[in-house]
Amino acid sequence: MATPGQSPDTSWLPAGLRACCSRKEEEGCRWRLHASIMKDNTTIKVKKNPHRHTCTSTRRSKNVKNATKFWICEQVKDWLIEDSRVEAKELQWRIKDKHKVQLPYSRVFAGMRLAQTELFGSWDSSFDNLFRFKKEVERSCPGSSVVIDHHTVNGKIRFNRLFFAMKPCIDGFLNGCRPYLAIDSTFLTGRFRGQLACAVAVDGHNWMYPVAVGVIDSETNENWSWFMHRLRDVIGTPEGLAICTDAGAAVMEGVKEVFPTAEHRECMLHLVMNFKKRYTGKIFDDHLWAAAYSWSPYFFEKH
């Protein structure tokens, strides 16, 4: 044993060492490992192994039992803190790259879910936190609107719909934006599916200005009517209000029912997509969008 500051005693070692597979004689496995002492009589160099195992040891179970979901949870936490949207497939690849182990997707997914729960809370408890969120918003920002619609299933309260609008956003729209709203929804792709509905205005810089958001399970007449009623509760019916939507029957009916005096227009992008089903060509490409972006009657008529 060497004391601190001294080189280890290697006089007992032979000039070279060779380790062979225990199955060499039985199965002819050529795996071997070479080690030798360098000229400084201190460094031991393990040379590269030129052959892989060809014996039955390579046919043992590939399942890495020590890499449990709890171990995976600890490994992926930092990655989830950096990017909470990273998926299990990506985490599976990162673990393989860092630790050189191939783990089943299902186990990586379970470890990821466990880490997400420890970092961000469980999905199931999120509904209870909604009411705390509502109370805190109403306390810290009076005049804001947070409406949580729920129903009862087997004696338990279950989430149904949500509407959310901050007071500064409401006032900014009414006092600083033109009376125009674009209303649409997009798919939620997390564990619980549904639709994220949005009412967006345009500010003085022609930038998008969020007014209200909602969470609904699908684009039905009932859901859009509910969202429109909540929207009218916070913005009223401004003079000259124009509302732009896609050609969905449910959202168009909701606008007609709740904002009957508003000017209702269909989104230009959806109109173009419908045009392309029947019309193509240079005239179409050069003039359709140009007409839509025209700010004067002269250029509009020209295109």
Side-chain angles (χ1 to χ4, degrees):
M1 179 70 67
T3 59
Q6 294 181 339
S7 300
D9 180 15
T10 59
S11 59
W12 61 275
L13 287 172
L17 295 173
R18 176 180 291 181
C20 298
C21 177
S22 61
R23 300 281 180 175
K24 177 182 178 181
E25 299 296 333
E26 299 177 15
E27 303 182 27
C29 182
R30 300 180 64 190
W31 183 93
R32 64 180 185 268
L33 196 65
H34 300 273
S36 59
I37 300 175
M38 305 300 289
K39 292 181 179 180
D40 59 5
N41 290 324
T42 301
T43 307
I44 300 174
K45 180 179 180 180
V46 179
K47 298 180 181 178
K48 183 178 180 181
N49 173 24
H51 302 291
R52 294 180 178 272
H53 278 288
T54 58
C55 56
T56 53
S57 63
T58 61
R59 295 192 288 272
R60 61 179 179 267
S61 173
K62 299 294 184 181
N63 190 18
V64 186
K65 295 182 178 179
N66 290 335
T68 65
K69 66 177 182 180
F70 302 102
W71 179 84
I72 295 171
C73 169
E74 296 302 321
Q75 303 306 312
V76 305
K77 277 184 178 179
D78 290 340
W79 293 327
L80 288 173
I81 291 173
E82 292 177 1
D83 181 6
S84 62
R85 297 174 296 178
V86 64
E87 297 181 350
K89 195 70 177 178
E90 171 69 14
L91 295 176
Q92 185 184 29
W93 180 87
R94 292 186 186 184
I95 291 174
K96 181 180 179 181
D97 182 64
K98 181 177 180 180
H99 299 284
K100 312 304 179 186
V101 291
Q102 180 67 42
L103 300 178
Y105 174 85
S106 58
R107 198 188 310 171
V108 176
F109 184 84
M112 180 190 71
R113 286 294 189 209
L114 187 62
Q116 288 175 334
T117 299
E118 293 185 8
L119 291 173
F120 312 116
S122 69
W123 289 81
D124 296 334
S125 64
S126 296
F127 177 67
D128 295 331
N129 292 332
L130 274 179
F131 292 96
R132 299 186 181 95
F133 170 75
K134 171 182 171 67
K135 185 175 181 180
E136 182 61 24
V137 169
E138 293 174 344
R139 182 195 67 80
S140 60
C141 190
S144 299
S145 176
V146 181
V147 182
I148 304 171
D149 185 38
H150 61 272
H151 51 255
T152 304
V153 179
N154 296 328
K156 295 183 179 180
I157 297 177
R158 300 299 185 191
F159 174 80
N160 189 23
R161 296 176 293 208
L162 169 72
F163 177 88
F164 173 51
M166 295 289 289
K167 177 64 172 175
C169 293
I170 299 169
D171 292 342
F173 169 68
L174 295 176
N175 300 318
C177 296
R178 67 201 73 174
Y180 166 86
L181 283 175
I183 299 177
D184 201 358
S185 68
T186 186
F187 290 101
L188 296 173
T189 58
R191 181 179 177 184
F192 299 119
R193 304 304 172 91
Q195 299 275 331
L196 178 68
C198 301
V200 180
V202 179
D203 66 10
H205 298 285
N206 282 332
W207 294 347
M208 290 190 297
Y209 183 91
V211 178
V213 297
V215 177
I216 55 179
D217 60 355
S218 60
E219 292 188 278
T220 63
N221 289 352
E222 180 187 0
N223 284 332
W224 274 123
S225 177
W226 181 86
F227 180 83
M228 297 295 177
H229 276 96
R230 304 290 80 74
L231 181 62
R232 189 181 63 183
D233 291 342
V234 297
I235 68 169
T237 53
E239 184 179 355
L241 178 64
I243 296 178
C244 180
T245 68
D246 60 17
V251 66
M252 295 179 71
E253 184 62 29
V255 173
K256 181 179 179 181
E257 175 188 344
V258 182
F259 295 98
T261 61
E263 182 179 356
H264 186 200
R265 297 296 181 184
E266 184 181 343
C267 169
M268 188 62 192
L269 176 62
H270 291 84
L271 281 173
V272 172
M273 293 171 64
N274 290 330
F275 266 114
K276 286 184 176 180
K277 295 176 182 178
R278 296 185 60 184
Y279 306 107
T280 57
K282 181 175 175 57
I283 294 179
F284 174 87
D285 296 333
D286 291 347
H287 297 288
L288 182 61
W289 276 111
Y293 280 117
S294 297
W295 301 105
S296 69
Y298 170 77
F299 286 107
F300 179 80
E301 294 297 338
K302 177 181 177 180
H303 290 292

